Amino acid sequence: MQTITTTEDLAAFCERAAKHAYVTVDTEFLRERTYYSKLCLIQLAHPGEDGPDGGEGSAVLVDPLAGEGLDLAPLYTLFRDPGVVKVFHAARQDLEIFQVEAGLIPAPLFDTQVAAMVCGFGEQAGYETLARKIAKAEIDKSSRFTDWSRRPLSEAQKAYALADVTHLRVIYEWLAAQLKKSGRARWVAEEMAVLNDPSTYRVDPAEAWQRVKTRSNSPKFIAALRELAQFREAYAQERDVPRSRVFKDDALVELASTRPASEKDLGRSRLLLREARKGEIADGILAAIERASNLPADKMPKAEKPRDQLQVNPALADLLRVLLKARSEAEGVAPKLIASSAELDALAAGEREVHALYGWRREVFGEQALALCEGRVALAAKGAQVVTVDL
């Protein structure tokens, strides 16, 4: 197992990899104590001349923590090479690291988790499942909870990390062949558009409040929630600490509800961390609440109506779920990839700005879902199948 610790060795590997159609990529990182992920290890592999199994030197570990002399520029050059597909499994967190570290997203991109869902492997198919079913390999789980920032890495840890990209070669080639056979490569390409968008990985502090679960629609509450969430996000980003270390969501909701006006008021909070009741965090909380309190009525934010307050037709929602199950089984695609339960409720409440009505999802499910909502088709049992019948 080769571990790359110098720029020269990395450049040599990337030069070899660039001669192949694809390279498989994975990372190991830590995020428990920071806002941004700390990159600890990069795994890379390219196929061999005669197939995906590769050969000596075709799979390597890149150790960015080995010393100050390793420059990842050769890897980023490979990531920009349009002639080499960059293959990940469940890519989002890996891609966020490279977007933050280098301002780039590897392209062209292929996510085997998304492809597996399109190819009938169910919802969020795990790497171990695909390795077992496609590559006929068993993954040793003993190093799963490793602290990847500690050095030296054991041979078992290195083997575990490298397995994440070696079996991925076989998985990728199998899935790519299935997509070509089924004509669904376009479906995966549509899904990659989200992962390829840099905005996917940027958290705007001004929009952070929309990620907080709450049931209140009060304009004053939402205004305080927005300002407090913006302060927390900006504070966490600037100091690279987890947002929960500033204050947790339940404390955020409590503060937006009670709207304390002084440090003495903060001291009465049941949920606020002790260190957040004074100093910079306390000052930020009080300033955020004051900004929210001074907003004129026409500047107050408006929250979307909670799903549980939508006028959902329950019978229609149930019919849509039956239709989704029938269509997903007929197409061999995970139902969750086509439409979420919340989207079905939204459709049954008359909303039409939902993901399931665009792109390949509309072809597979959306058109028939609309027809069902509008009374143009009915559902009927035909043997073991559920089919639509024109009305």
Coordinates of all heavy atoms in Angstrom, one line a residue, residues 225-311:
L225 N -35.7 34.6 14.9 CA -35.0 33.3 14.5 C -34.0 33.6 13.4 O -32.9 33.1 13.4 CB -36.1 32.3 14.1 CG -35.6 30.9 13.7 CD1 -35.4 30.1 15.0 CD2 -36.6 30.2 12.8
R226 N -34.4 34.4 12.4 CA -33.5 34.7 11.3 C -32.3 35.4 11.8 O -31.2 35.0 11.4 CB -34.3 35.5 10.3 CG -33.4 35.8 9.0 CD -34.2 36.7 8.0 NE -34.5 38.0 8.5 CZ -35.0 39.0 7.7 NH1 -35.4 38.7 6.5 NH2 -35.2 40.2 8.2
E227 N -32.4 36.4 12.6 CA -31.3 37.2 13.0 C -30.3 36.3 13.9 O -29.1 36.4 13.8 CB -31.7 38.4 13.8 CG -32.5 39.4 12.9 CD -31.6 40.0 11.8 OE1 -30.4 40.1 12.0 OE2 -32.2 40.4 10.8
L228 N -30.9 35.5 14.8 CA -30.1 34.7 15.7 C -29.4 33.6 14.9 O -28.2 33.4 15.1 CB -31.0 34.0 16.7 CG -31.5 35.0 17.8 CD1 -32.7 34.3 18.6 CD2 -30.4 35.3 18.8
A229 N -30.1 33.0 13.9 CA -29.4 32.0 13.1 C -28.3 32.6 12.3 O -27.2 31.9 12.1 CB -30.5 31.3 12.2
Q230 N -28.5 33.8 11.8 CA -27.5 34.5 11.0 C -26.2 34.7 11.8 O -25.1 34.5 11.4 CB -28.0 35.8 10.4 CG -27.0 36.5 9.5 CD -27.6 37.6 8.7 OE1 -28.8 37.8 8.6 NE2 -26.8 38.5 8.2
F231 N -26.5 35.2 13.0 CA -25.3 35.5 13.9 C -24.6 34.2 14.2 O -23.3 34.1 14.2 CB -25.8 36.1 15.2 CG -24.8 36.0 16.4 CD1 -23.6 36.7 16.3 CD2 -25.1 35.1 17.4 CE1 -22.7 36.5 17.3 CE2 -24.1 34.9 18.4 CZ -22.9 35.6 18.4
R232 N -25.3 33.1 14.6 CA -24.7 31.9 14.9 C -23.9 31.3 13.8 O -22.7 30.9 14.0 CB -25.7 30.8 15.4 CG -25.1 29.5 15.8 CD -26.2 28.5 16.2 NE -27.0 28.0 15.1 CZ -27.8 27.0 15.1 NH1 -27.9 26.3 16.3 NH2 -28.6 26.6 14.1
E233 N -24.4 31.3 12.6 CA -23.7 30.8 11.4 C -22.5 31.5 11.1 O -21.4 31.0 10.9 CB -24.7 30.8 10.2 CG -24.3 29.7 9.1 CD -24.6 28.3 9.6 OE1 -25.5 28.1 10.4 OE2 -24.0 27.4 9.1
A234 N -22.5 32.9 11.1 CA -21.4 33.7 10.8 C -20.3 33.5 11.9 O -19.1 33.4 11.6 CB -21.8 35.2 10.7
Y235 N -20.7 33.4 13.1 CA -19.8 33.2 14.2 C -19.1 31.9 14.1 O -17.8 31.8 14.3 CB -20.5 33.3 15.6 CG -19.7 33.2 16.8 CD1 -19.3 34.4 17.5 CD2 -19.3 32.0 17.4 CE1 -18.5 34.4 18.6 CE2 -18.5 32.0 18.5 CZ -18.1 33.2 19.1 OH -17.3 33.1 20.2
A236 N -19.8 30.8 13.8 CA -19.2 29.5 13.6 C -18.3 29.4 12.5 O -17.2 28.8 12.5 CB -20.4 28.5 13.5
Q237 N -18.7 30.1 11.3 CA -17.8 30.1 10.2 C -16.5 30.8 10.4 O -15.4 30.3 10.1 CB -18.5 30.7 9.0 CG -19.7 29.9 8.4 CD -20.4 30.5 7.3 OE1 -20.2 31.7 7.0 NE2 -21.3 29.8 6.6
E238 N -16.6 32.0 11.0 CA -15.4 32.8 11.3 C -14.4 32.1 12.2 O -13.2 32.2 12.0 CB -15.8 34.1 11.8 CG -16.5 35.1 10.8 CD -17.2 36.3 11.5 OE1 -16.9 36.5 12.7 OE2 -17.9 37.0 10.8
R239 N -14.9 31.4 13.1 CA -14.0 30.7 14.1 C -13.8 29.3 13.9 O -13.2 28.6 14.7 CB -14.6 31.0 15.6 CG -14.5 32.4 16.0 CD -15.5 32.8 17.1 NE -15.4 34.2 17.4 CZ -15.9 35.2 16.7 NH1 -16.6 34.9 15.6 NH2 -15.8 36.5 17.1
D240 N -14.5 28.7 12.8 CA -14.3 27.3 12.5 C -14.7 26.4 13.6 O -13.9 25.5 14.0 CB -13.0 27.0 11.9 CG -12.9 25.6 11.2 OD1 -14.0 25.2 10.8 OD2 -11.8 25.1 11.0
V241 N -15.8 26.6 14.2 CA -16.3 25.8 15.3 C -17.7 25.3 14.9 O -18.5 25.9 14.2 CB -16.4 26.5 16.7 CG1 -15.0 27.0 17.1 CG2 -17.4 27.7 16.6
P242 N -18.2 24.1 15.4 CA -19.5 23.6 15.1 C -20.6 24.6 15.6 O -20.4 25.2 16.7 CB -19.6 22.3 15.9 CG -18.2 21.9 16.1 CD -17.4 23.2 16.3
R243 N -21.6 24.8 14.8 CA -22.7 25.7 15.2 C -23.3 25.3 16.6 O -23.7 26.2 17.4 CB -23.7 25.9 14.2 CG -24.5 24.6 13.8 CD -25.6 24.9 12.8 NE -25.0 25.3 11.5 CZ -24.7 24.4 10.5 NH1 -24.8 23.1 10.7 NH2 -24.2 24.8 9.4
S244 N -23.3 24.0 16.9 CA -23.8 23.6 18.2 C -23.0 24.1 19.3 O -23.4 24.1 20.5 CB -24.0 22.1 18.2 OG -22.7 21.5 18.1
R245 N -21.7 24.4 19.1 CA -20.8 24.9 20.1 C -21.2 26.4 20.5 O -20.8 26.9 21.5 CB -19.4 24.8 19.7 CG -18.8 23.4 19.7 CD -18.2 23.1 21.0 NE -17.1 23.9 21.4 CZ -15.8 23.8 20.9 NH1 -15.6 22.7 20.1 NH2 -14.9 24.6 21.2
V246 N -21.8 27.1 19.6 CA -22.3 28.4 19.8 C -23.6 28.3 20.6 O -23.6 28.8 21.8 CB -22.5 29.2 18.5 CG1 -22.8 30.7 18.8 CG2 -21.3 29.1 17.6
F247 N -24.6 27.8 20.0 CA -25.8 27.3 20.8 C -26.6 26.4 19.9 O -26.5 26.5 18.6 CB -26.7 28.5 21.3 CG -26.9 29.6 20.3 CD1 -27.9 29.5 19.4 CD2 -26.2 30.8 20.4 CE1 -28.2 30.6 18.5 CE2 -26.4 31.8 19.5 CZ -27.4 31.7 18.6
K248 N -27.3 25.5 20.5 CA -28.0 24.4 19.7 C -29.3 24.9 19.2 O -29.8 26.0 19.6 CB -28.2 23.2 20.6 CG -26.9 22.5 21.0 CD -27.1 21.3 21.8 CE -25.8 20.6 22.2 NZ -25.9 19.4 23.0
D249 N -29.9 24.2 18.3 CA -31.2 24.6 17.7 C -32.3 24.8 18.7 O -33.1 25.7 18.6 CB -31.7 23.5 16.7 CG -30.9 23.6 15.3 OD1 -30.0 24.5 15.2 OD2 -31.3 22.9 14.4
D250 N -32.3 23.9 19.8 CA -33.4 24.1 20.7 C -33.2 25.4 21.5 O -34.2 26.1 21.8 CB -33.5 22.9 21.7 CG -32.2 22.5 22.4 OD1 -31.2 23.2 22.1 OD2 -32.2 21.6 23.2
A251 N -32.0 25.8 21.8 CA -31.7 27.0 22.4 C -32.1 28.2 21.5 O -32.6 29.2 21.9 CB -30.3 27.1 22.9
L252 N -31.8 28.0 20.2 CA -32.1 29.1 19.2 C -33.6 29.3 19.2 O -34.1 30.5 19.2 CB -31.6 28.6 17.8 CG -32.0 29.4 16.6 CD1 -31.5 30.9 16.8 CD2 -31.4 28.8 15.4
V253 N -34.4 28.3 19.2 CA -35.9 28.4 19.2 C -36.4 29.1 20.5 O -37.3 29.9 20.4 CB -36.6 27.0 18.9 CG1 -38.1 27.1 19.1 CG2 -36.2 26.5 17.5
E254 N -35.8 28.6 21.6 CA -36.2 29.2 22.9 C -35.9 30.7 22.9 O -36.7 31.6 23.3 CB -35.4 28.6 24.0 CG -35.7 29.1 25.4 CD -34.8 28.7 26.4 OE1 -33.5 28.7 26.2 OE2 -35.2 28.3 27.5
L255 N -34.7 31.1 22.4 CA -34.3 32.6 22.4 C -35.2 33.4 21.5 O -35.6 34.5 21.8 CB -32.8 32.7 21.9 CG -31.8 32.2 22.8 CD1 -30.4 32.1 22.1 CD2 -31.7 33.1 24.1
A256 N -35.6 32.8 20.3 CA -36.5 33.5 19.4 C -37.9 33.6 20.0 O -38.6 34.6 19.7 CB -36.6 32.7 18.1
S257 N -38.3 32.7 20.9 CA -39.6 32.8 21.5 C -39.6 33.8 22.7 O -40.5 34.6 22.8 CB -40.0 31.4 22.0 OG -40.1 30.5 21.0
T258 N -38.5 33.7 23.5 CA -38.5 34.6 24.7 C -37.9 36.0 24.5 O -38.2 36.9 25.2 CB -37.7 33.9 25.8 OG1 -36.4 33.6 25.4 CG2 -38.4 32.5 26.2
R259 N -37.1 36.1 23.5 CA -36.4 37.3 23.1 C -35.9 38.1 24.3 O -36.3 39.2 24.6 CB -37.4 38.2 22.3 CG -37.8 37.5 21.0 CD -38.6 38.5 20.1 NE -40.0 38.6 20.4 CZ -40.9 37.6 20.2 NH1 -40.6 36.5 19.5 NH2 -42.2 37.8 20.6
P260 N -34.9 37.5 25.0 CA -34.3 38.2 26.1 C -33.6 39.5 25.7 O -33.1 39.7 24.6 CB -33.2 37.2 26.6 CG -32.9 36.3 25.4 CD -34.2 36.3 24.7
A261 N -33.7 40.5 26.7 CA -33.2 41.8 26.4 C -31.9 42.2 27.2 O -31.4 43.3 27.0 CB -34.3 42.9 26.7
S262 N -31.4 41.3 28.0 CA -30.2 41.6 28.8 C -29.5 40.3 29.1 O -30.1 39.2 29.0 CB -30.6 42.3 30.1 OG -31.4 41.4 30.9
E263 N -28.3 40.4 29.6 CA -27.5 39.2 30.1 C -28.3 38.5 31.2 O -28.2 37.3 31.4 CB -26.1 39.6 30.5 CG -25.2 39.8 29.3 CD -23.7 39.8 29.7 OE1 -23.4 39.4 30.8 OE2 -22.9 40.3 28.9
K264 N -28.9 39.3 32.1 CA -29.7 38.8 33.2 C -30.8 37.9 32.6 O -31.1 36.8 33.2 CB -30.3 39.9 34.0 CG -31.0 39.4 35.3 CD -31.5 40.5 36.1 CE -32.2 40.0 37.4 NZ -32.7 41.2 38.2
D265 N -31.5 38.3 31.5 CA -32.5 37.5 30.9 C -31.9 36.2 30.3 O -32.5 35.2 30.4 CB -33.2 38.3 29.8 CG -34.0 39.5 30.3 OD1 -34.4 39.4 31.5 OD2 -34.3 40.4 29.6
L266 N -30.7 36.3 29.7 CA -30.0 35.2 29.1 C -29.8 34.1 30.2 O -29.8 32.9 30.0 CB -28.7 35.6 28.5 CG -28.8 36.4 27.2 CD1 -27.4 36.7 26.7 CD2 -29.6 35.6 26.1
G267 N -29.5 34.6 31.4 CA -29.2 33.7 32.5 C -30.4 32.8 32.9 O -30.2 31.8 33.6
R268 N -31.6 33.2 32.5 CA -32.8 32.4 32.8 C -33.1 31.3 31.8 O -34.0 30.6 32.0 CB -34.0 33.4 32.9 CG -33.9 34.5 34.0 CD -35.2 35.2 34.2 NE -35.1 36.3 35.1 CZ -34.9 37.5 34.8 NH1 -34.9 37.9 33.5 NH2 -34.8 38.5 35.7
S269 N -32.3 31.3 30.7 CA -32.5 30.4 29.7 C -32.3 28.9 30.2 O -31.3 28.7 30.9 CB -31.6 30.6 28.5 OG -31.7 29.5 27.6
R270 N -33.2 28.0 29.8 CA -33.0 26.6 30.3 C -32.0 25.9 29.4 O -31.4 24.9 29.8 CB -34.4 25.9 30.2 CG -35.4 26.4 31.2 CD -36.7 25.6 31.1 NE -37.3 25.7 29.7 CZ -37.3 24.7 28.9 NH1 -36.7 23.5 29.2 NH2 -37.8 24.8 27.7
L271 N -31.9 26.3 28.1 CA -31.2 25.6 27.1 C -29.9 26.2 26.6 O -29.1 25.5 26.0 CB -32.1 25.4 25.9 CG -33.4 24.7 26.2 CD1 -34.4 24.7 25.0 CD2 -33.2 23.2 26.6
L272 N -29.6 27.4 27.0 CA -28.4 28.1 26.5 C -27.2 27.6 27.2 O -27.2 27.5 28.5 CB -28.6 29.6 26.6 CG -27.6 30.5 25.9 CD1 -27.8 30.3 24.4 CD2 -27.9 32.0 26.2
L273 N -26.1 27.3 26.5 CA -24.8 26.9 27.2 C -24.3 28.0 28.1 O -24.5 29.2 27.8 CB -23.8 26.6 26.1 CG -24.1 25.4 25.1 CD1 -23.1 25.3 24.0 CD2 -24.1 24.1 25.9
R274 N -23.7 27.6 29.2 CA -23.2 28.6 30.2 C -22.3 29.6 29.6 O -22.4 30.8 29.8 CB -22.5 27.8 31.3 CG -22.1 28.7 32.5 CD -21.4 27.9 33.5 NE -22.3 26.9 34.1 CZ -23.2 27.1 35.0 NH1 -23.3 28.3 35.5 NH2 -23.9 26.1 35.4
E275 N -21.4 29.1 28.7 CA -20.4 30.1 28.1 C -21.1 31.0 27.1 O -20.5 32.0 26.7 CB -19.3 29.3 27.4 CG -19.7 28.3 26.4 CD -19.9 26.9 27.0 OE1 -20.2 26.8 28.2 OE2 -19.6 25.9 26.3
A276 N -22.3 30.8 26.7 CA -23.0 31.6 25.7 C -23.8 32.7 26.4 O -24.4 33.6 25.8 CB -23.9 30.8 24.8
R277 N -23.8 32.7 27.8 CA -24.6 33.7 28.5 C -23.8 35.0 28.8 O -24.4 35.9 29.5 CB -25.1 33.0 29.8 CG -25.9 31.8 29.6 CD -26.4 31.2 30.8 NE -27.1 29.9 30.6 CZ -27.8 29.3 31.5 NH1 -27.8 29.7 32.7 NH2 -28.4 28.1 31.2
K278 N -22.6 35.0 28.3 CA -21.8 36.2 28.6 C -20.8 36.4 27.4 O -20.6 35.4 26.6 CB -21.1 36.2 29.9 CG -20.2 34.9 30.1 CD -19.6 34.8 31.5 CE -18.7 33.6 31.6 NZ -18.1 33.5 32.9
G279 N -20.1 37.5 27.4 CA -19.0 37.7 26.4 C -19.6 37.9 25.0 O -20.7 38.4 24.8
E280 N -18.8 37.5 24.0 CA -19.1 37.7 22.6 C -20.4 37.1 22.1 O -21.2 37.7 21.4 CB -17.9 37.2 21.7 CG -16.7 38.1 21.7 CD -15.7 37.5 20.7 OE1 -15.6 36.3 20.5 OE2 -15.0 38.4 20.1
I281 N -20.6 35.9 22.5 CA -21.8 35.2 22.1 C -23.1 35.9 22.7 O -24.1 36.1 22.0 CB -21.8 33.7 22.5 CG1 -20.6 33.0 21.8 CG2 -23.1 33.0 22.1 CD1 -20.5 31.5 22.1
A282 N -23.0 36.2 24.0 CA -24.1 36.9 24.6 C -24.4 38.3 23.9 O -25.6 38.6 23.6 CB -23.9 37.1 26.1
D283 N -23.3 39.0 23.6 CA -23.5 40.3 22.9 C -24.1 40.1 21.5 O -25.0 40.9 21.1 CB -22.1 40.9 22.7 CG -21.5 41.4 24.1 OD1 -22.3 41.5 25.1 OD2 -20.3 41.7 24.1
G284 N -23.7 39.0 20.8 CA -24.2 38.7 19.5 C -25.7 38.4 19.6 O -26.5 38.8 18.7
I285 N -26.1 37.6 20.6 CA -27.5 37.2 20.8 C -28.4 38.4 21.0 O -29.4 38.6 20.3 CB -27.6 36.2 21.9 CG1 -27.0 34.9 21.6 CG2 -29.1 36.0 22.3 CD1 -26.9 33.9 22.7
L286 N -27.9 39.3 21.9 CA -28.7 40.4 22.3 C -28.8 41.4 21.1 O -29.9 42.0 20.8 CB -28.1 41.1 23.5 CG -28.2 40.3 24.8 CD1 -27.4 41.0 25.9 CD2 -29.6 40.0 25.2
A287 N -27.7 41.6 20.3 CA -27.7 42.5 19.2 C -28.7 41.9 18.1 O -29.4 42.7 17.4 CB -26.3 42.6 18.6
A288 N -28.7 40.6 17.9 CA -29.5 40.0 16.9 C -31.0 40.2 17.3 O -31.8 40.5 16.4 CB -29.2 38.5 16.8
I289 N -31.3 40.0 18.5 CA -32.7 40.2 19.0 C -33.1 41.7 18.8 O -34.3 42.0 18.4 CB -32.9 39.7 20.4 CG1 -32.7 38.2 20.4 CG2 -34.2 40.1 21.0 CD1 -32.7 37.6 21.8
E290 N -32.2 42.6 19.1 CA -32.5 44.0 19.0 C -32.8 44.3 17.5 O -33.7 45.1 17.2 CB -31.4 44.8 19.5 CG -31.7 46.3 19.5 CD -30.6 47.2 20.1 OE1 -29.5 46.6 20.5 OE2 -30.7 48.4 20.2
R291 N -32.0 43.8 16.6 CA -32.2 44.1 15.2 C -33.6 43.6 14.8 O -34.3 44.2 14.0 CB -31.1 43.4 14.3 CG -29.7 44.0 14.4 CD -28.9 43.5 13.3 NE -28.6 42.1 13.3 CZ -27.7 41.5 14.0 NH1 -26.8 42.3 14.8 NH2 -27.5 40.2 14.0
A292 N -33.9 42.4 15.2 CA -35.2 41.8 14.9 C -36.4 42.7 15.4 O -37.4 42.9 14.7 CB -35.3 40.4 15.4
S293 N -36.2 43.2 16.6 CA -37.2 44.0 17.3 C -37.5 45.3 16.6 O -38.6 45.9 16.6 CB -36.9 44.2 18.7 OG -36.8 43.0 19.4
N294 N -36.4 45.8 15.9 CA -36.5 47.1 15.3 C -36.9 47.1 13.8 O -37.0 48.1 13.1 CB -35.1 47.8 15.4 CG -34.8 48.2 16.8 OD1 -35.7 48.4 17.6 ND2 -33.5 48.3 17.1
L295 N -37.2 45.9 13.3 CA -37.6 45.7 11.9 C -39.0 46.3 11.7 O -39.9 46.0 12.5 CB -37.6 44.3 11.5 CG -36.3 43.6 11.1 CD1 -36.5 42.1 10.9 CD2 -35.6 44.2 9.9
P296 N -39.1 47.1 10.7 CA -40.5 47.6 10.4 C -41.4 46.4 9.8 O -40.8 45.4 9.4 CB -40.3 48.6 9.3 CG -38.9 48.3 8.7 CD -38.1 47.7 9.8
A297 N -42.6 46.6 9.9 CA -43.6 45.5 9.6 C -43.4 45.0 8.2 O -43.5 43.8 7.9 CB -45.0 46.0 9.7
D298 N -43.0 45.9 7.2 CA -42.9 45.5 5.8 C -41.6 44.7 5.6 O -41.4 44.2 4.5 CB -43.0 46.6 4.9 CG -42.0 47.7 5.1 OD1 -41.4 47.7 6.2 OD2 -41.7 48.5 4.2
K299 N -40.7 44.7 6.6 CA -39.4 44.0 6.4 C -39.4 42.6 7.2 O -38.4 41.9 7.1 CB -38.3 44.9 6.9 CG -38.1 46.2 6.2 CD -37.6 45.9 4.7 CE -37.4 47.3 4.0 NZ -37.0 47.1 2.6
M300 N -40.5 42.3 7.8 CA -40.6 41.1 8.6 C -40.5 39.9 7.6 O -41.2 39.9 6.6 CB -41.9 41.0 9.4 CG -41.9 42.0 10.6 SD -40.8 41.3 11.9 CE -41.1 42.6 13.2
P301 N -39.7 38.9 7.9 CA -39.7 37.7 7.0 C -40.9 36.9 7.2 O -41.7 36.9 8.2 CB -38.5 36.9 7.6 CG -38.4 37.3 9.0 CD -38.9 38.7 9.1
K302 N -41.2 36.1 6.1 CA -42.4 35.2 6.1 C -41.9 33.8 5.9 O -41.1 33.5 5.0 CB -43.3 35.6 5.0 CG -44.0 37.0 5.2 CD -44.9 37.3 4.0 CE -45.5 38.7 4.2 NZ -46.5 39.0 3.1
A303 N -42.4 32.9 6.8 CA -42.0 31.5 6.7 C -43.0 30.8 5.8 O -44.2 31.2 5.7 CB -42.0 30.9 8.1
E304 N -42.5 29.8 5.1 CA -43.4 28.9 4.3 C -44.4 28.2 5.3 O -44.1 27.9 6.4 CB -42.6 27.9 3.5 CG -41.8 28.4 2.4 CD -41.1 27.4 1.6 OE1 -41.4 26.2 1.9 OE2 -40.3 27.7 0.8
K305 N -45.6 28.0 4.8 CA -46.6 27.3 5.6 C -46.1 25.9 5.9 O -45.7 25.2 5.0 CB -47.9 27.2 4.9 CG -49.0 26.6 5.7 CD -50.3 26.5 4.9 CE -50.9 27.9 4.8 NZ -52.3 27.8 4.2
P306 N -46.0 25.5 7.2 CA -45.6 24.2 7.5 C -46.4 23.1 6.8 O -47.6 23.3 6.5 CB -45.8 24.1 9.1 CG -45.8 25.5 9.5 CD -46.4 26.3 8.4
R307 N -45.8 22.0 6.5 CA -46.4 20.9 5.8 C -47.7 20.4 6.5 O -48.7 20.1 5.9 CB -45.5 19.7 5.6 CG -44.4 20.0 4.6 CD -44.8 20.2 3.2 NE -43.7 20.4 2.3 CZ -43.9 20.9 1.1 NH1 -45.1 21.2 0.6 NH2 -42.8 21.0 0.3
D308 N -47.6 20.4 7.9 CA -48.8 19.9 8.6 C -50.0 20.9 8.6 O -51.0 20.7 9.1 CB -48.4 19.6 10.0 CG -47.8 20.7 10.8 OD1 -47.8 21.8 10.3 OD2 -47.4 20.5 12.0
Q309 N -49.7 22.2 8.0 CA -50.8 23.1 7.9 C -51.3 23.2 6.5 O -52.3 24.0 6.2 CB -50.3 24.5 8.4 CG -50.0 24.6 9.9 CD -49.6 26.0 10.3 OE1 -49.9 27.0 9.7 NE2 -48.9 26.0 11.4
L310 N -50.8 22.5 5.6 CA -51.3 22.4 4.2 C -52.7 21.7 4.2 O -52.9 20.8 5.0 CB -50.3 21.7 3.3 CG -49.0 22.3 3.0 CD1 -48.1 21.3 2.2 CD2 -49.1 23.6 2.3
Q311 N -53.5 22.2 3.3 CA -54.8 21.6 3.1 C -54.7 20.3 2.3 O -55.1 20.3 1.1 CB -55.8 22.6 2.5 CG -56.0 23.8 3.4 CD -56.6 23.5 4.7 OE1 -57.6 22.7 4.9 NE2 -55.9 24.0 5.8

